[in-house]
Amino acid sequence: MSSSTGSSSIVSRLSTRDDAFEQRLNALLDWEGVSDSAVQARVDEILADVKQRGDAAVIEATNRFDRLSVENMQALRLIPDQLEQAFNNLPAEQREALARAAERIRVYHERQKPSSWQYEEADGTVLGQQVTALDRAGIYVPGGKAAYPSSVLMNAIPARVAGVREIVMVVPTPDGVVNELVLAAAHLAGVDHVFTIGGAQAIAAMAYGTETVPRVDKIVGPGNIYVATAKRAVFGQVGIDMIAGPSEILVVSDGQTDPDWLAMDLFSQAEHDEDAQAILVSWDSAHLDAVAEAIERLLPTLEREGIVRESLSRRGALVLCQDKAEAVTLINRIAPEHLELSVDAPDTWLNDVRHAGAIFMGRYTAEVLGDYCAGPNHVLPTSGTARFSSPLGVYDFQKRSSIINCSREGASALGKVASVLARGESLTAHARSAEYRIQE
Amino acid sequence: MSSSTGSSSIVSRLSTRDDAFEQRLNALLDWEGVSDSAVQARVDEILADVKQRGDAAVIEATNRFDRLSVENMQALRLIPDQLEQAFNNLPAEQREALARAAERIRVYHERQKPSSWQYEEADGTVLGQQVTALDRAGIYVPGGKAAYPSSVLMNAIPARVAGVREIVMVVPTPDGVVNELVLAAAHLAGVDHVFTIGGAQAIAAMAYGTETVPRVDKIVGPGNIYVATAKRAVFGQVGIDMIAGPSEILVVSDGQTDPDWLAMDLFSQAEHDEDAQAILVSWDSAHLDAVAEAIERLLPTLEREGIVRESLSRRGALVLCQDKAEAVTLINRIAPEHLELSVDAPDTWLNDVRHAGAIFMGRYTAEVLGDYCAGPNHVLPTSGTARFSSPLGVYDFQKRSSIINCSREGASALGKVASVLARGESLTAHARSAEYRIQE
């Protein structure tokens, strides 16, 4: 148990001192979300079919892939009353917890709202940016085992806060199984239209519009490989949020957090699915041993033991590093979706953390609190994409227009500069358009 | 000439009263930026080759597509001295104009910088968002006839303002032709590395990194269909800005602007290339006649007459509408890249404009002023994508991390809510992780 790279435990043990550390870390993090050409071809076919035949194509694909036998879109549409009823039918405890979470998410996202701004120059020229909301947003909610009501809140509430006029939600119901909690969350979040469709056909319906499904301006929300491939294909036609990979957490512990807590924090990530990734980093070797022991002991008590065991053994790791500085290097190398700083004085780490989707600070801040109800969004950049992308937010449902209002004098001065540069680029109509505005 | 839908002129005349107006407008706006499967296959091949063989593949592709015969990457790399020399060699007038433009762009983009923020709740829990810059940005600059120094400024300066540590620029030099103005702009904007490569091979080099080209976190800048296809393919591996279509302008005139000015404003858009789009909307029929006359008269005086004639006849239009309200409807329907409000009191229009990349207000504010030196970015959403996207900005070179720091009491209260919701989703390890934080 004291060997830092022992392999007797469920989860791999790595040390930054190992010769092959970089290589092992790279192998562990490697994730190819790229769809093969067979998936690509199938998705292209579905997209083209829905674009051309609309509702009819959506109905056929839905009957086929979700094993239904509906005859029209009305059978794939939920009315507001059904959503409200689902909410009212919830046990009081769930209804209150959902409402509490929704309220906290709303309050947090209100703080994200950017404002339009402008400034005036000495000659009266005004420059600025106007912020406006999207007209219509589309939210993809996965069906089956990954149908999470919390995701409905996390996707729809920022859209509502942003001022989006209309929110369309799609959620497949394989074999006709409806998730009442998902409908209740849709009611609470103020979703306008719900269609029980999924896969590439749902993405196509929202991107192109059909007789029944309104065309949206942006599609957000995670899905399987068909959904991800379809989102990539329609990008440009509509906006998309991101191509999500499996969920992951990097926990850094200073050795002072209860090993059972840390084991459970890792489990909570690993129980999502077999591809999920949970990594713990510490410079305290005995502490890592203790967490490994807690994992062995607690694993058999989990409802989703099988999934957790596979996820941890395939993609999990306990990593021994030398010190805090090395832990920081690992954080920025991995750019984790979730970063748990289970350390004393976590705020002293903040300046050094350059890349992370969400930072959970201190021993009490388990990731799960952010997953459901702390307020910040749980839709986060995965697979190292925190290097360049952000949590889903109000800003994803808004866009900006530049404002340029030149005074007569301002236009004259700028016209002279623009004329020189335009002629330098051999764009002489540009130059002459500028020169008309020059006052002699 | 008085017929509102006459076809004797170079540019189509449309009226919103025509029965077929919607259909004609749709046909006019239609733009399929989708690459065919042959382009896709060729790009996939190049991407895979560069990913596997690095520099060697980049050199081969560059020699082939840009008709060069270099033997190593050193021959495809420009050193800072070369950039500085290019800047110093410019005629003083150009050097000053470029410096003036750069300074105005910098000042405007400084205003765009978002700040990190956080707030504390009654129980001591702290929530917020931390804003950080990308480590490394990649800028694609087209070669050949579309090599614009102004685009170098517009892409690199926001990255610099955002705090990006390293800026990599690629610009192809077909047949070895180097654009000295582009190099001068790179010097001025503070670009760190320049490689004279282009096409899908340049996108691959920046997305995956090679022995010589550093891997970047995000790629921005326009390019041809191979570049656009490659950007779409590497999206997720790196961030990308957008898939740009042809440039377009929508001018709205109240009939009081000099028709010659408006004709030249339309020309300045149309001269970009044959796919560029220039549309004028007015409720004053005689005014549209006067602009049509100015177009006929001025067109033969243009250096790029051929391109402008083709662009205007294929994709241009003078549209007669009924009133201001109808003009606003058209604006929001088209969601133009550039909107010129050549009207009295343009600020009274602003609240009604929901979708536009940049809004040029008043008769003096020709688009060309914004193209070069007003300050706002000229990289703007095309082909109606202003419905969901924004001008390139500082925000494109930054990302956010959520901050969650729960107090002991805060974690306890949130733990109870999270536990209920997690159990509702059958995620019991989540629930138990939350429950460890509940104080009894």
Side-chain angles (χ1 to χ4, degrees), chain A residues 104-325:
Chain A
R104 290 188 61 91
I105 296 165
R106 185 171 292 116
V107 167
Y108 176 85
H109 285 82
E110 285 286 350
R111 301 257 181 171
Q112 272 182 348
K113 283 179 86 163
S115 308
S116 301
W117 52 270
Q118 52 180 51
Y119 62 97
E120 189 172 333
E121 301 188 312
D123 62 22
T125 293
V126 173
L127 302 172
Q129 231 171 15
Q130 172 161 290
V131 180
T132 47
L134 306 190
D135 282 348
R136 204 182 277 133
I139 296 176
Y140 189 94
V141 179
K145 65 175 173 178
Y148 298 138
S150 54
S151 291
V152 176
L153 301 184
M154 293 290 183
N155 280 281
I157 291 173
R160 200 90 279 173
V161 170
V164 169
R165 295 178 172 204
E166 214 169 65
I167 302 176
V168 177
M169 179 178 124
V170 294
V171 54
T173 53
D175 301 308
V177 178
V178 176
N179 183 325
E180 294 292 326
L181 263 164
V182 162
L183 304 194
H187 167 73
L188 196 57
V191 170
D192 297 291
H193 307 281
V194 178
F195 298 94
T196 54
I197 59 178
Q201 59 274 20
I203 300 298
M206 291 196 288
Y208 306 127
T210 70
E211 302 92 311
T212 311
V213 182
R215 183 181 84 146
V216 306
D217 299 303
K218 185 164 186 170
I219 298 173
V220 301
N224 62 20
I225 189 69
Y226 291 94
V227 172
T229 305
K231 278 172 72 179
R232 184 186 295 272
V234 299
F235 172 54
Q237 176 76 33
V238 293
I240 64 170
D241 53 344
M242 54 181 92
I243 309 287
S247 193
E248 10 105 16
I249 192 171
L250 176 66
V251 181
V252 177
S253 171
D254 60 6
Q256 302 304 308
T257 304
D258 185 329
D260 285 13
W261 290 25
L262 294 172
M264 199 59 74
D265 293 357
L266 298 172
F267 292 159
S268 77
Q269 192 60 46
E271 77 172 336
H272 275 293
D273 59 65
E274 293 80 356
D275 292 324
Q277 183 156 62
I279 298 176
L280 171 66
V281 171
S282 181
W283 49 86
D284 182 335
S285 176
H287 178 63
L288 289 179
D289 292 343
V291 175
E293 184 279 320
I295 288 174
E296 302 265 5
R297 175 168 40 81
L298 291 172
L299 187 54
T301 70
L302 298 179
E303 273 83 353
R304 295 163 78 105
E305 180 190 350
I307 294 171
V308 173
R309 188 179 292 275
E310 181 159 355
S311 156
L312 283 185
S313 63
R314 280 180 46 209
R315 306 203 71 218
L318 306 183
V319 180
L320 179 68
C321 66
Q322 297 309 304
D323 50 24
K324 179 181 163 179

Side-chain angles (χ1 to χ4, degrees), chain A residues 340-403:
Chain A
E340 216 174 275
L341 295 174
S342 209
V343 299
D344 264 343
D347 26 322
T348 63
W349 290 58
L350 220 44
N351 268 343
D352 297 322
V353 175
R354 295 206 311 282
H355 314 300
I359 309 172
F360 298 82
M361 300 166 66
R363 310 184 203 293
Y364 291 101
T365 313
E367 184 208 311
V368 59
L369 304 182
D371 287 344
Y372 287 106
C373 55
N377 212 288
H378 79 194
V379 180
L380 297 165
T382 59
S383 310
T385 57
R387 289 183 293 122
F388 54 84
S389 40
S390 302
L392 189 72
V394 170
Y395 35 78
D396 284 296
F397 298 99
Q398 295 182 320
K399 68 281 187 316
R400 297 155 192 252
S401 302
S402 302
I403 301 290

